[in-house]
Amino acid sequence: MKFVVAKTAGFCMGVRRAVDMVLDASNLSDDPIYTYGPLIHNPQVLEMLEKKQVFKLDKIPAKGEGIVLIRAHGVPPEDELALKNAGFTVIDATCPRVTRVQVIIDKYAKDGYATIIIGDKKHPEVVGLLGYAKGNGYTVTALDQLDGLPKFEKAVVVGQTTQDTDFYAQIKSWCKTNAPHYKVFDTICGSTEKRQKEIRDLAAESDAVIVVGGKQSGNTKRLAQIAFQAGKPAVHIEDASQIDYSIFSSAKTVAITAGASTPNWIIKEAYQKIKFNLSKQHAGKTRLFQLRDFLLKTNILAATGAGFLTYACSALQGISNDFQHALIAMLYVLSMHILNNLFTVKSDAYNHPERADFYKQNRTYLRLLAVLSGAAGLYLSYDTGVLSFVILLFMTLLGLSYNLKIYSLTPKQGRIVKIRDIPGSKTLLIVFAWGTVTCLLPAIANQASPWLVMVVFLFSIGLVFSRTAFFDILAIQGDRITGKETLPILLGEKTSFAIIQYVLIGEIGLILLTSLTGLLLKTALLLAFIPFLMLLLIRFFKKDSLISGVHRELIIEVLFLATGLLAVII
Ligand code: SF4
C-alpha cells in the first residue's frame, strides 16, 4: 500500500506564527499568559498549551494582568481596546492575511461603503472582520442570500480567508452580473486554496483519503468535505485512534492531508500509526524497515557515521587506518546521543513519537548501553594519551551537564538555567563535540600539522553543523514546545536553511581550494561530493512533505558513512 502525504498538510503560516508567538512568550515570560479564545481548533494543541500554563480567556474581565495573545483569526478593534484597558499586555498574533482584510474593510467603511463578508457570521475571523465594518456589515453563506441583501450604492465584498474557492468564484460571478459596481476583493488565503486544490487532486488519484485535524476546525472540515465529494472512502480524524481501518481494506493508494491547525507531531504520529496498521493488513512491516528504525532510534547509525567521519578526517591529516580514534568517536557519540534522547523523551513525544516510546520502554538497556559505551570510549582514549583522555572526559562532562540544572540566574523567581537554555546551544554543542572527537583527538595523538588540522576541523564541523541544524529544523515545533534552544529556534527556519546552504558551499570551496593548492592530496577532491550531495538533498528535502522524516534521517546519516568509504581511496 502506498501513502501520499499532502505537501500542504499542517500548520499554515498564520497559525504557525501565532503558536510560535505564544510559545516564545511562555518560554520567556513569568507573567500569566492567556489566549483570547482557543488559539486554534485542535484539542491536542490546547492540551499542550495548558500544560505550559497558557490558558484560554473567554470573556474580557474588567481588570486583569499578564499577557493576552490575540489569535490568528483577529478580533474586533473594540475587543483589543477592552483587553488593553483591563490592564493586559496584548500580543497581536492576527495573521497578516487577515489583517489585510481588516484594513480593506476599515478603509472602505470609513468612506461609507457597506461590507459584505462571504463567511459564517459566528466564525471568529468573521466576528473580528465585522468589527471593522462600522455597523454596516453583512454576512453571506449561500448565493441566494445575496439577492436578499439591500441594493447598496457602495459596497465591498470580501471572503473569509478560509472560504471555499469555488463558492467564492460563484459570488464573484454573481457580483459581476448583478452588482458590477461592488468592489470585490480576492481575500481567500493562498494557503487554503493550495490545500484544497491539492486534496482535490490527491483524492482523484487515490483510493482513499484521511483528513487529520480538529473536528471544530472550519478549514479541516472543508478538506474532509472535498474528500467526501470526490466519492472515495474518506475519514476525518483527530488522531489515529479514531480510524476505522476496515474501510481501507481494498485501497492501494491512501492520501493523507491535515488542516491548517494540525501540528506536525500529530500528523507524524497519525501517519506512522495508520501506515503501520494498514501495512500490517497487507504485507507486514519488513525486517529491513525494522532494522533501519532500530539503528536510527538507538543512534547506532549516527555513531557509526561519526566513526566513519573520523576515519576520513584522520586520512585527510595523513593518519592512515586510524581505527582506534574512529572507535572512540563512535562510542562517545553513541553514549552522548542516547543520554540526550533519554533526557528528551518529553520533546520527542512531539518530534519523534515512536522514538519516545522506544526510549520509555527500553530505558534500562539504553542507560546501560550509554554508560558502557561512554566508559569504553574513555578507556580507549586513555590508551592514546593523557591529553586525549582529559579532553574526552571534559567533553563527556559537558555533554552530561547539558540537560542538568546547573545554575540559578534569578533565584527569586526560581528560574534554573541549564546549558540547554542558552540560545542555539544544542546545535553548537553537538558540532563542537563531534569536531573534537572526529578531528582534534586524532590530530593531538599524531601531532598533525596545524594548517591541516584547521582545514579538516572546518570540513568536519561544517558537515556536522549541516546535519544537526537540518534535523533541528525538522524538530522545530517540538523543540519550541519544550523550550529547547536550537539554532533554528534562535534564527528562524529560513535563515537556518540559508546558513546550512552557505556552510555546505563553503565546504565544497574549502576542499577544492586546499586540494588544488596541495595542502590536501588531490584525491581528497572526491570528498567535495559529500557536501555537494548534502546540499542537493537538503534543498530537495526542504520542498518535500514533512513526513518522510525517517528516510531523510537515514539518507543524511548514510552520507557520513560514505565520507569514510571515500576516504579509503585517499
Ligand atoms: S489560513 Fe491563511 S489567512 Fe488563515 S491563518 Fe492561515 S495563513 Fe492566515
Side-chain angles (χ1 to χ4, degrees), residues 272-302:
Q272 279 160 4
K273 285 189 180 156
I274 292 165
K275 190 174 166 196
F276 182 72
N277 279 304
L278 287 178
S279 301
K280 248 193 340 191
Q281 285 181 8
H282 284 249
K285 216 178 179 190
T286 64
R287 292 223 173 273
L288 209 57
F289 281 163
Q290 285 174 339
L291 178 68
R292 176 202 65 187
D293 292 352
F294 177 78
L295 293 176
L296 285 172
K297 281 181 209 159
T298 51
N299 292 295
I300 289 174
L301 198 60

Side-chain angles (χ1 to χ4, degrees), residues 146-439:
L146 283 170
D147 296 313
L149 290 179
K151 307 280 173 240
F152 302 110
E153 229 174 80
K154 304 197 281 187
V156 284
V157 180
V158 292
Q160 185 183 328
T161 52
T162 47
Q163 191 54 258
D164 182 83
T165 42
D166 287 346
F167 177 52
Y168 200 62
Q170 291 172 29
I171 296 282
K172 284 203 275 190
S173 142
W174 183 95
C175 291
K176 206 171 170 188
T177 315
N178 301 289
H181 60 294
Y182 286 3
K183 287 190 182 298
V184 185
F185 288 88
D186 278 321
T187 55
I188 297 187
C189 167
S191 142
T192 309
E193 207 169 323
K194 271 194 216 147
R195 202 180 293 263
Q196 291 177 359
K197 181 178 177 324
E198 191 182 15
I199 196 56
R200 231 172 249 126
D201 294 348
L202 283 180
E205 293 159 10
S206 311
D207 304 312
V209 182
I210 299 170
V211 180
V212 187
K215 294 260 163 93
Q216 303 303 318
S217 155
N219 79 84
T220 315
K221 281 196 278 187
R222 216 153 279 141
L223 289 178
Q225 235 173 38
I226 294 173
F228 289 130
Q229 281 163 3
K232 302 283 172 67
V235 284
H236 175 183
I237 54 165
E238 283 185 340
D239 63 66
S241 66
Q242 296 171 346
I243 205 162
D244 171 10
Y245 292 100
S246 62
I247 64 165
F248 298 107
S249 53
S250 59
K252 286 199 175 67
T253 307
V254 177
I256 302 178
T257 190
S261 51
T262 314
N264 285 3
W265 86 79
I266 291 172
I267 309 172
K268 272 186 190 174
E269 193 183 15
Y271 167 74
Q272 279 160 4
K273 285 189 180 156
I274 292 165
K275 190 174 166 196
F276 182 72
N277 279 304
L278 287 178
S279 301
K280 248 193 340 191
Q281 285 181 8
H282 284 249
K285 216 178 179 190
T286 64
R287 292 223 173 273
L288 209 57
F289 281 163
Q290 285 174 339
L291 178 68
R292 176 202 65 187
D293 292 352
F294 177 78
L295 293 176
L296 285 172
K297 281 181 209 159
T298 51
N299 292 295
I300 289 174
L301 198 60
T304 312
F308 276 56
L309 180 63
T310 308
Y311 185 85
C313 289
S314 292
L316 285 174
Q317 294 177 78
I319 313 161
S320 54
N321 296 330
D322 189 4
F323 295 112
Q324 188 164 8
H325 281 106
L327 194 56
I328 292 171
M330 196 176 151
L331 292 166
Y332 170 78
V333 167
L334 185 64
S335 168
M336 291 297 108
H337 279 236
I338 292 178
L339 284 175
N340 187 48
N341 287 152
L342 283 165
F343 274 113
T344 57
V345 165
K346 209 167 131 197
S347 60
D348 275 351
Y350 297 111
N351 291 327
H352 304 280
E354 278 193 347
R355 189 163 74 189
D357 287 345
F358 179 77
Y359 273 77
K360 269 189 229 159
Q361 285 160 14
N362 301 289
R363 194 169 272 148
T364 312
Y365 301 117
L366 289 162
R367 271 187 197 148
L368 199 64
L369 182 59
V371 171
L372 289 178
S373 53
L378 281 168
Y379 175 77
L380 284 177
S381 73
Y382 187 73
D383 197 39
T384 65
V386 176
L387 186 56
S388 293
F389 172 77
V390 172
I391 292 173
L392 194 67
L393 184 64
F394 172 74
M395 295 308 301
T396 305
L397 294 175
L398 193 65
L400 287 175
S401 54
Y402 177 70
N403 285 292
L404 296 180
K405 296 167 181 176
I406 53 168
Y407 182 62
S408 172
L409 265 189
T410 51
K412 271 185 211 151
Q413 293 166 24
R415 180 176 278 193
I416 304 294
V417 171
K418 307 167 191 169
I419 297 178
R420 56 171 271 177
D421 294 331
I422 302 167
S425 57
K426 181 187 164 226
T427 317
L428 297 179
L429 193 66
I430 291 177
V431 171
F432 177 59
W434 277 56
T436 303
V437 293
T438 57
C439 171

